[in-house]
Amino acid sequence: MPLTRKAYRAAILHSIADPAIVGIEASYEYFEDGLLVIDNGQISAVGHASDLLPTLAADIEVTHYQDALITPGLIDTHIHLPQTGMVGAYGEQLLDWLNTYTFPCESQFADKAHADEVADIFIKELLRNGTTTALVFGSVHPQSVNSFFEAAEKLDLRMIAGKVMMDRNAPDYLTDTAESGYQESKALIERWHGKGRLHYAVTPRFAPTSTPEQLALAGQLLGEYPDLYMQTHISENKQEVEWVKELFPERKGYLDVYDHYKLLGERSVFAHGVHLCDDECARLAQTGSAVAFCPTSNFFLGSGLFNLPMAEKHKLNVGLGTDVGGGTSFSLLQTLNEAYKVMQLQGARLSPFKSLYLATLGGARALRLEDKIGTLRPGTDADFLVLDYNATPLLSYRLKQANDIAERLFVLMTLGDDRTVLQTYAAGQLVHQR
Ligand code: GUN
Ligand code: ZN
């Protein structure tokens, strides 16, 4: 195959370590006038334009952006495909919200044509917002995952998804059985896991909607295939936590239910974790599990404030999640805007470089994909964004008053959204142009 080489010149910023571990200054690389070189869908070099331009052959196409910032593609570690049509559903907290809005909305995925239509809208929305990798809940219907992966495969996106397993405490029209959930998941794994840049996640919705038999079979599946993911919800809402105690009185607590059924591990991502205790954070960290921090959802559903400093204390892997449709935006920039407020309400600070880490490398680490995505390091997938400093009149004016990259980054995360994303590239291909 002939080498296809392209280069992109602009300010370039990426996270290279967790600020909580190495300190802020050592956590990022910034090139005021930078160059990103892409060979056949992978990054081959990143650095100062003055150093790299002389190394390029004369005929290499260099795209030069003014007033723009190149960053890695953003990583959403928790989102629901079949809830795209119900973002912003009024009035309820988690358990009533599920029954009133979520389950009826997800039931529409019984129709494959509907699933195809929503998958297309959903992927466009991810890319418009600069999200190049997401860990995605389907509905209980296998076709939700087929529709999603078919659309993701066409664009060669790195995506992870799974069909919901749910065999109790939900309407009959939306439940599988322990056995059918296992068999349907297995068929999807055989079809999709490891195909191109696609990965499968075993997806028990949350402890209250699975019988012990189903949780046991979910754990069994994880043991049957290498590198499978597991995604579920945990300790999002106080009533939910109480309900789990009633349903599983023999277990020490919510996390212990999942632990008992062998659902913890290096590719396990637990959404929310707002009401986790210290011991549970320690156990999650010990097993290499990760938590998806979903601030817009936690505010919208009145769930509570995620304790990021406690997670950091335990060196627990944390990614960022939009949790659409409990969350109110597909934009991880807007999600970081709310994450900052979650910390403010707890008397803590969220540095813009920690925010960048959460939305990129931190997410990649939560998904054990840091050798492939989350940074602009040579040898990784060319999934990157061009952010526009002049996206809106206010952003443009505000950024003119900003003195350094820390301030510019913070303002981008406070005022930025889908309008800020000028272009999105996946595996070196332009997949969104504003
Ligand atoms: N817990 C169980 N199911 C869901 C869901 O769909 N959304 C959220 N936010 N929490 C859940
Ligand atoms: Zn969720």
Side-chain angles (χ1 to χ4, degrees), residues 112 142-143 145-147 149-151 153 184-196 198 200 225:
K112 175 73 163 81
Q143 61 259 36
V145 171
N146 286 326
S147 296
F149 279 152
E150 282 157 13
E153 190 182 33
E184 288 170 353
S185 301
K186 205 174 169 77
L188 290 167
I189 293 163
E190 297 279 353
R191 177 165 176 201
W192 294 110
H193 186 55
K195 190 166 188 216
L198 307 175
Y200 193 82
Y225 295 88

Side-chain angles (χ1 to χ4, degrees), residues 78-80 83 137 233 236 271-272 294 297 323-324:
H78 184 65
I79 187 164
H80 297 258
Q83 296 176 16
F137 267 63
H233 297 89
E236 174 179 3
H272 305 294
C294 305
S297 169
D323 192 30
V324 161

